[in-house]
Amino acid sequence: MSGPSADGRDAPPALGSWPGRGPAPDPDPAPGRDTGQGVCEEERLARAALTRLVEPGDETVGRWLRELGPVALRRALCGEGKPPPGASGQRLAGCALRADRLDPAADLALIAGRGGRFVCPGDLEWPGQLDDLGDSRPVGLWLRGPASLRMWALRSVAVVGARACSDYGAHVASTLGAGLAERGWVVVSGAAHGVDGAAHRGALAAGGATVAVLASGVDVPYPRGHTELIERIAEQGLVLGELPPGGHPSRSRFVLRNRVIAALTRGTVVVEAQYRSGSLVTARRAGQLGRFTMGVPGPVTSGLSAGVHELLRGEAVLVTDADEVAELVGGIGDLAPERRGPLVERDLLDPVTARVLEALSARGGNDVRDVARDSGTSCDEALGRLYELLALGFVERDGDRWELVPSVRRNGGARRGGPPNRGNRVKGLRR
């Protein structure tokens, strides 16, 4: 996957440093979201045109954009000015073919008619974390939905995984989506079949927030089988993409889409992924960007979990539910509940009494002197502890000998109402 290298890449410019930018308030802000505009209309049109001229994630285009600015770059790629430095004839010829169909004003009007908008770097709604992508950051994002992308992205988690997932994977993804939504986290995914769709549905079912990042135009629901789901996300959450209206997905665009998911969120959770999986690309890119990388384990015999397990052997953190995800990516106080095995009665005994109990032979006929020796106590101490165990129903006395009470008999006697009652034993121990 193409993208910025971890070392030696050009640093992203600070907000306000890109050429051609000037304040221009939105003349008709939609209610309920932050719609302040930070770029002039000419730059917005130029960036909208560039989304149709060039492919997403092209670092060469990103460098030109940083050096020339969007307005000059659009003119250069359309043959209206000096070609960008190092531009090949093949690239310029391809741009010339696409330039014949350029009508950014019509694209902006079309997306506005669908209740959407085009957000650029410098707009108040632009998520600053996307700038971490350096020269591969999006030229701009086409959005549908009422919420503020910038605000939602501040507390978001990506849940991604296999398209052909198992019932286990679908259940885990749906449960994670619902659990994160209930804890106030925005669930981000790619709206694909399998894990992506299950995570979106889980968040929606919990009445929560979810964002679908498409590898197509936001007016082209893909996959087609998820048209209803994507439309529901557009009404209740956000649908976004880098391609202009009418843009169709391709294999390379799916891979490049994953970098946006990784950069947009606080962390990425992978639920089922084979060794060759776009979900692993997303998780590893998240790690490169300094985000949290997490994986949900599965059966070791399942090829669908092989990629996740490989991730867990390296850079990822194992998580099993929304509490553990929130503890990792959240702030101070977002702690998962302590996990313990089942509490048994022996756990409540003090150490000396527990040693006396362990010194009793299951074959019966235990003498106090033998119990004292094996437990490392005096005979008087051992006798006192044996009477405690007798009161709690662990042992019984037969003359001078002490015997263990079989657990089946003890529990059975408690269920039949016979002494001693198991609940009373636990209460007695706690006292």
Side-chain angles (χ1 to χ4, degrees), residues 48-67:
L50 287 171
T51 64
R52 197 172 286 281
L53 278 174
V54 300
E55 286 296 305
D58 190 322
E59 289 190 348
T60 301
V61 171
R63 176 171 55 82
W64 290 337
L65 190 59
R66 174 167 48 84
E67 294 172 350

Side-chain angles (χ1 to χ4, degrees), residues 376-414:
T377 63
S378 67
C379 290
D380 290 342
E381 177 76 10
L383 184 61
R385 301 292 176 164
L386 285 170
Y387 271 103
E388 286 183 19
L389 293 169
L390 176 66
L392 294 169
F394 285 98
V395 301
E396 59 188 6
R397 182 171 182 174
D398 183 10
D400 292 332
R401 317 294 286 181
W402 295 84
E403 298 179 352
L404 290 170
V405 174
S407 59
V408 173
R409 201 174 90 201
R410 286 192 290 121
N411 294 338

Side-chain angles (χ1 to χ4, degrees), residues 190-386:
H193 289 300
V195 167
D196 289 17
H200 287 307
R201 291 188 180 95
L204 291 170
T210 188
V211 176
V213 183
L214 305 185
S216 61
V218 293
D219 61 333
V220 181
Y222 190 89
R224 296 295 185 186
H226 278 181
T227 298
E228 183 178 350
L229 173 63
I230 293 171
E231 290 301 316
R232 186 180 171 200
I233 294 173
E235 294 173 0
Q236 187 171 326
L238 282 172
V239 175
L240 64 92
E242 296 180 78
L243 295 181
H248 290 279
S250 65
R251 182 180 296 273
S252 63
R253 288 170 175 174
F254 278 116
V255 175
L256 292 166
R257 178 271 309 270
N258 293 341
R259 84 193 193 288
V260 177
I261 295 176
L264 194 64
T265 54
R266 296 282 295 274
T268 296
V269 186
V270 183
V271 181
E272 289 195 328
Q274 296 181 338
Y275 284 121
R276 287 177 56 86
S277 169
S279 302
L280 300 183
V281 173
T282 307
R284 289 185 173 122
R285 174 50 68 90
Q288 292 168 4
L289 293 169
R291 279 39 164 189
F292 294 100
T293 305
M294 296 156 278
V296 178
V300 296
T301 55
S302 171
L304 282 170
S305 291
V308 182
H309 294 163
E310 187 66 22
L311 200 66
L312 290 171
R313 282 167 53 86
E315 60 270 40
V317 176
L318 187 151
V319 293
T320 60
D321 60 18
D323 284 329
E324 293 176 352
V325 174
E327 179 180 59
L328 188 64
V329 302
I332 297 174
D334 289 331
L335 299 178
E338 186 177 358
R339 311 298 168 88
R340 291 182 176 180
L343 183 68
V344 297
E345 294 164 349
R346 285 173 178 257
D347 296 335
L348 300 175
L349 297 173
D350 69 71
V352 176
T353 307
R355 289 206 313 272
V356 170
L357 180 60
E358 291 168 359
L360 292 168
S361 170
R363 293 189 296 271
N366 297 277
D367 181 80
V368 172
R369 190 179 186 83
D370 293 335
V371 173
R373 183 187 65 247
D374 292 342
S375 63
T377 63
S378 67
C379 290
D380 290 342
E381 177 76 10
L383 184 61
R385 301 292 176 164
L386 285 170

